[in-house]
Amino acid sequence: MTNLDIIDKIKSLAKEKDAVILAHNYTRPEIQDLADFVGDSLELSRTASKLSSRAILFCGVYFMAETAYILSPDKTVLIPDPYAGCPMADMITGEQLRRLKGEYPGAKVVCYVNSTAEVKAESDICCTSANAVDIVNKIDSNDIIFVPDKNLGSYVSKMTGKRLILWQGYCPIHAMIKPEDIIRIKQEHPSAKVVVHPECSEDVIALADAVRSTSGMLRYVRETDGKEFIIGTESGILYRMKKENPEKQFFPVRRDTICVNMKKITLEKVLNSLEKEEYKVTVPEDIRIRALKAIERMLT
Ligand code: 13P
Ligand code: SF4
């Protein structure tokens, strides 16, 4: 079967099964082209909470599909590959967070959406990279625990002026980007604007013109004058940037910043997922109810 045949089959099956296909900005180009909606974590959560379809087929990593299920437990939520995980989300467990909370009684807990349902259930409020600064700004407490991303946490701390108790998790893909990479590529393209994701380290962020979520980056390059942009995040974002701005030029800080988990979602697996209605993503009801509160506080 050619890719075009697979795409045709996916589209007719999705219609027949009343499934909406959501995809993250880092997924493969053919998956982004196929999806009904492509976005960052916040946009995908908002979209998932409003859909009226019977099923959601989530092209992204596991915690994203889990979030969709937490918001819409009446829907069948499918992920084409159940092993498409996020290593950062697995850097803290519910038990570890409970212990940390024990050390800081009364502290409010903010968890990055890149976390398991169990960690969300232990948190007061969720955030994504798009709204983390606003969320922390609104919290009225002297003690704020921020998990699991130390880099997003230290960026938020700087932007809000609040001291945060940080878990030492990080994204291994963004951790590949070093200040010397930015310095080198800036020398090659001196007039380019540098935009990076807040999962990058503090010393990388210090060299950037702008810090944005993935969809924030897309808006930034669209709305900013200038023809050249240096992009510090997972390479999958470049496809949409080039497609939406054919007159501009984009240079990845590094070419090897590839999230293998995002790339596990292929056309063949999407087709299989729809045909067999696998792999169904669910969350135990007691955890879902508590995680939902943290997500709803973020969305309202
Ligand atoms: P965004 O919410 O910015 O799309 O980020 C998700 C992610 O996993 C970044 O590594
Ligand atoms: Fe997780 Fe990093 Fe991949 Fe995003 S890019 S899904 S944070 S491993």
Side-chain angles (χ1 to χ4, degrees):
M1 238 193 311
T2 66
N3 274 2
L4 282 179
D5 293 335
I6 301 178
I7 291 164
D8 278 352
K9 261 191 125 173
I10 292 171
K11 288 202 166 146
S12 67
L13 259 180
K15 201 166 175 197
E16 189 185 304
K17 301 206 169 191
D18 190 18
V20 170
I21 302 178
L22 302 183
H24 187 264
N25 288 321
Y26 292 159
T27 52
R28 293 168 183 269
E30 61 275 22
I31 300 293
Q32 296 190 30
D33 286 343
L34 171 80
D36 297 300
F37 184 81
V38 187
D40 68 4
S41 306
L42 184 61
E43 292 170 335
L44 292 170
S45 305
R46 283 201 195 282
T47 305
S49 71
K50 287 183 197 141
L51 291 175
S52 56
S53 60
R54 182 190 69 86
I56 297 175
L57 191 139
F58 214 112
C59 300
V61 289
Y62 201 85
F63 76 79
M64 295 178 175
E66 212 173 46
T67 304
Y69 176 82
I70 292 167
L71 286 160
S72 310
D74 50 323
K75 292 191 179 34
T76 299
V77 177
L78 300 169
I79 188 160
D81 185 329
Y83 298 107
C86 167
M88 182 200 321
D90 295 329
M91 286 181 191
I92 185 167
T93 63
E95 181 51 34
Q96 285 172 313
L97 179 52
R98 278 190 288 277
R99 258 186 268 142
L100 183 63
K101 283 162 67 175
E103 289 172 35
Y104 297 93
K108 294 277 184 232
V109 181
V110 182
C111 80
Y112 189 24
V113 73
N114 295 38
S115 54
T116 61
E118 206 194 341
V119 165
K120 290 184 177 78
E122 290 294 334
S123 303
D124 293 293
I125 188 163
C126 241
C127 71
T128 76
S129 61
N131 62 13
V133 171
D134 292 343
I135 298 273
V136 169
N137 259 330
K138 276 187 218 150
I139 294 178
D140 186 18
S141 169
N142 286 336
D143 285 331
I144 303 174
I145 294 173
F146 189 96
V147 297
D149 187 2
K150 63 173 178 179
N151 291 322
L152 178 63
S154 71
Y155 170 70
V156 169
S157 175
K158 200 159 183 206
M159 296 305 285
T160 59
K162 295 191 184 193
R163 199 181 61 85
L164 303 178
I165 301 150
L166 299 179
W167 191 256
Q168 295 298 306
Y170 63 92
C171 164
I173 310 307
H174 288 85
M176 293 166 76
I177 301 174
K178 303 283 181 224
E180 48 273 29
D181 295 321
I182 307 264
I183 292 164
R184 174 191 40 81
I185 196 151
K186 267 174 95 163
Q187 278 162 359
E188 288 168 23
H189 307 284
S191 57
K193 291 262 185 322
V194 181
V195 53
V196 305
H197 197 274
E199 285 176 18
C200 291
S201 63
E202 208 177 336
D203 45 5
V204 166
I205 287 178
L207 297 170
D209 294 299
V211 184
R212 298 282 190 279
S213 74
T214 56
S215 288
M217 285 181 171
L218 287 159
R219 274 190 297 280
Y220 178 83
V221 301
R222 190 170 57 236
E223 291 164 6
T224 305
D225 288 337
K227 291 263 175 265
E228 296 187 334
F229 296 88
I230 292 168
I231 309 300
T233 191
E234 206 276 341
S235 308
I237 192 81
L238 289 155
Y239 173 67
R240 214 179 136 187
M241 277 181 181
K242 288 178 186 163
K243 188 170 151 185
E244 292 179 357
N245 307 276
E247 75 293 0
K248 298 190 177 183
Q249 274 193 297
F250 303 100
F251 308 102
V253 175
R254 297 173 59 113
R255 293 185 184 280
D256 54 355
T257 43
I258 295 166
C259 178
V260 287
N261 286 292
M262 288 283 182
K263 309 308 177 208
K264 283 180 184 162
I265 310 300
T266 61
L267 285 177
E268 288 80 3
K269 287 184 197 169
V270 171
L271 178 57
N272 176 70
S273 185
L274 275 173
E275 278 175 344
K276 299 190 186 145
E277 297 226 359
E278 67 184 19
Y279 298 86
K280 286 195 176 79
V281 177
T282 59
V283 175
E285 192 57 10
D286 55 327
I287 295 178
R288 189 191 72 80
I289 303 260
R290 290 192 295 137
L292 179 64
K293 282 193 190 130
I295 298 170
E296 278 181 342
R297 282 191 199 113
M298 163 179 90
L299 295 177
T300 48

